[in-house]
Amino acid sequence: MSIDSLRRSARATVSGLPQGFWWLWLSTLVNRTGAFVLTFLSLYLTVELGHSAWFAGLVVALHGLGGVAGSPLGGALTDRWGRRPTMVTMHLAAAACAAALAVVTSAWAIASVVLLMGVAMQAVRPSINATISDMVPAHDVRRAYALNYWALNLGFAIASIGGGAAAFLGYRTLFVVDAVATTLCAVIVFLRLPETRPEAAVGKQGEPVVEDKVSMLTVLRDAPFRTLVLLNLLVCLVFTAPWIGLPLTMANQGLSPSSYGVVIAVNGIVIVAFQLLVNRLTDKRSPVLLLTLSSLLFALGTGATALAGSPVAFAATVVVWTVGEMIHVPTNAAATARLAPEHARGRYQGVMGMSWAVAGFVAPIGAGAIVGGPGPDVLWAATTAIGVIAAVGYFTRLRKALSEEPAEDGAPSAPAAEPEAPTVAPVARTEDAESSSVSA
């Protein structure tokens, strides 16, 4: 492929999206560029404060546990309170937690702050995903999610490099920089991003159309979406396992920690370098086929880890499951947006985000226990089996639910309305006691 063709491909990938999306993209990039807390937290706890590795692992797990609660909370706030207020509030809460980590020193205070940070960081994600679904035409939603995911990884790569270079300033300084970057992200959202929550529907006579009330229980009763969430949970377990199992497997073979650092860096390098190209190649493809393919790539990549014996071979396995990651993440987010009713996009994204958080809490514990017990080969055999099961599930259970193509104007295609059906007009949303509430 020539340089000119690559340039044209990149231009086609980023063109045609609304201006608001690019402000959201910029806020994601700024936020992740300063994301130092999780990257250096374990080193800070063990090297700087002298805590045990066990305590460091517990604190990181508490961050994931906070995300389990934060995701549905953020989804409810996104639908009831609005996308923009939720983003601003949760970004500022995360910034406050990052700043607090630069001050507190007691074990319980640190654990409490990290738990709250997990809640805030995960709670903002449903509002981001719902905003993208609101402002981007349906036929471009998957591309938009892919671009936002690219910004996230680009920012994280910058943070990893910059944080390593700036570590001589002290871990507390990095946490303050994280707080400043997250605050700047909130400022960008507040000043430049419009509220995108769908306006209330009205009938022909101007009377409000009563929308079906959607609770978290209602979301879980949606059979196709429930299937999508459960299958995503399986994929997330496979995706999370290498982050614990891979360094332990390489150590068992006598490879140094620096070798693992080089191998796992391949993940970020591949995403930053090739996410736009992968998105171009997969654009307009069937979401069911993409989800099936990504699950098989996860299964193949993690399963091949059991056969690797050198850093180059381990790096090759990372490339395989990283391609699966680049396909899966935006496709799954777009599938969630497709299945969600307009007025419940936040809750649907919140429940989906909870599957990521649960996997982030469970998979590290399970992977460590398996490697320390039956051994690494059992872990990689299990991830292979789980990935194949997820692929079969996507292909057999979701073909009908995800087969409907969006209409050209970006709205899902639907049967023509009956003459007496109410029409939808863009009017200001009327805030009643329930919709004004910020409770879940």
Side-chain angles (χ1 to χ4, degrees):
M1 184 177 288
S2 66
I3 298 298
D4 286 341
S5 62
L6 287 174
R7 187 182 296 113
R8 287 194 299 270
S9 178
R11 188 182 299 114
T13 299
V14 301
S15 64
L17 296 174
Q19 183 181 32
F21 167 79
W22 292 111
W23 284 114
L24 183 63
W25 185 92
L26 178 62
S27 72
T28 299
L29 180 63
V30 169
N31 188 24
R32 295 302 293 180
T33 299
F36 298 119
V37 170
L38 288 182
T39 306
F40 295 96
L41 182 60
S42 59
L43 291 175
Y44 171 66
L45 293 172
T46 55
V47 176
E48 181 84 2
L49 300 183
H51 292 293
S52 66
W54 174 87
F55 177 75
L58 174 63
V59 171
V60 173
L62 285 176
H63 185 277
L65 186 62
V68 175
S71 192
L73 171 64
L77 291 176
T78 295
D79 287 337
R80 293 190 178 192
W81 199 9
R83 281 69 159 137
R84 186 163 162 263
T86 302
M87 273 188 268
V88 171
T89 301
M90 293 305 166
H91 280 315
L92 291 178
C97 290
L101 284 176
V103 178
V104 300
T105 55
S106 73
W108 287 111
I110 291 172
S112 300
V113 170
V114 171
L115 177 67
L116 292 175
M117 178 176 259
V119 173
M121 290 181 66
Q122 190 67 31
V124 78
R125 293 180 181 177
S127 57
I128 294 173
N129 286 342
T131 299
I132 293 174
S133 181
D134 292 338
M135 66 170 51
V136 176
H139 57 275
D140 282 331
V141 162
R142 201 196 70 83
R143 176 162 64 98
Y145 283 128
L147 288 168
N148 199 64
Y149 189 65
W150 181 59
L152 187 151
N153 282 277
L154 179 61
F156 184 76
I158 297 172
S160 299
I161 297 171
F168 68 91
L169 296 175
Y171 295 105
R172 289 183 173 88
T173 301
L174 296 182
F175 297 161
V176 171
V177 173
D178 191 328
V180 172
T182 308
T183 301
L184 179 58
C185 174
V187 170
I188 292 173
V189 171
F190 181 76
L191 294 179
R192 307 303 303 180
L193 195 67
E195 175 57 55
T196 63
R197 185 175 55 162
E199 296 172 331
V202 297
K204 291 181 177 179
Q205 305 303 320
E207 74 281 4
V209 175
V210 179
E211 297 173 330
D212 294 334
K213 295 185 182 298
V214 178
S215 65
M216 288 299 172
L217 185 59
T218 307
V219 175
L220 293 174
R221 286 173 176 167
D222 184 335
F225 180 68
R226 185 173 65 242
T227 300
L228 185 69
V229 171
L230 292 175
L231 292 174
N232 184 67
L233 176 59
L234 294 181
V235 172
C236 291
L237 291 173
V238 177
F239 168 65
T240 308
W243 298 94
I244 300 298
L246 183 57
L248 297 177
T249 300
M250 294 180 67
N252 285 346
Q253 296 191 16
L255 297 173
S256 66
S258 60
S259 297
Y260 167 71
V262 172
V263 167
I264 201 61
V266 171
N267 173 258
I269 293 171
V270 170
I271 292 176
V272 172
F274 297 107
Q275 179 71 68
L276 297 184
L277 177 60
V278 169
N279 184 65
R280 183 65 175 166
L281 294 175
T282 57
D283 195 27
K284 312 302 181 185
R285 306 292 182 184
S286 163
V288 170
L289 291 180
L290 292 177
L291 291 170
T292 302
L293 174 62
S294 64
S295 300
L296 292 176
L297 288 172
F298 275 119
L300 177 62
T302 58
T305 307
L307 306 176
S310 68
V312 173
F314 282 114
T317 67
V318 172
V319 170
V320 174
W321 59 256
T322 297
V323 175
E325 177 188 354
M326 290 190 287
I327 296 172
H328 179 86
V329 172
T331 305
N332 181 74
T336 301
R338 175 178 290 193
L339 294 179
E342 264 193 1
H343 63 289
R345 282 171 174 161
R347 286 180 174 86
Y348 272 68
Q349 294 287 356
V351 171
M352 180 57 71
M354 193 163 56
S355 67
W356 288 93
V358 169
F361 179 70
V362 172
I365 298 173
I370 293 174
V371 172
D377 289 350
V378 175
L379 173 65
W380 305 124
T383 58
T384 302
I386 294 171
V388 171
I389 290 171
V392 173
Y394 283 123
F395 191 74
T396 60
R397 302 300 301 273
L398 290 175
R399 279 188 296 176
K400 182 177 180 181
L402 298 179
S403 63
E404 185 180 358
E405 291 297 327
E408 287 301 317
D409 62 357
S413 57
E418 296 295 330
E420 66 273 17
T423 58
V424 178
V427 298
R429 172 178 287 273
T430 301
E431 299 291 345
D432 57 18
E434 180 182 6
S435 63
S436 299
S437 171
V438 297
S439 65

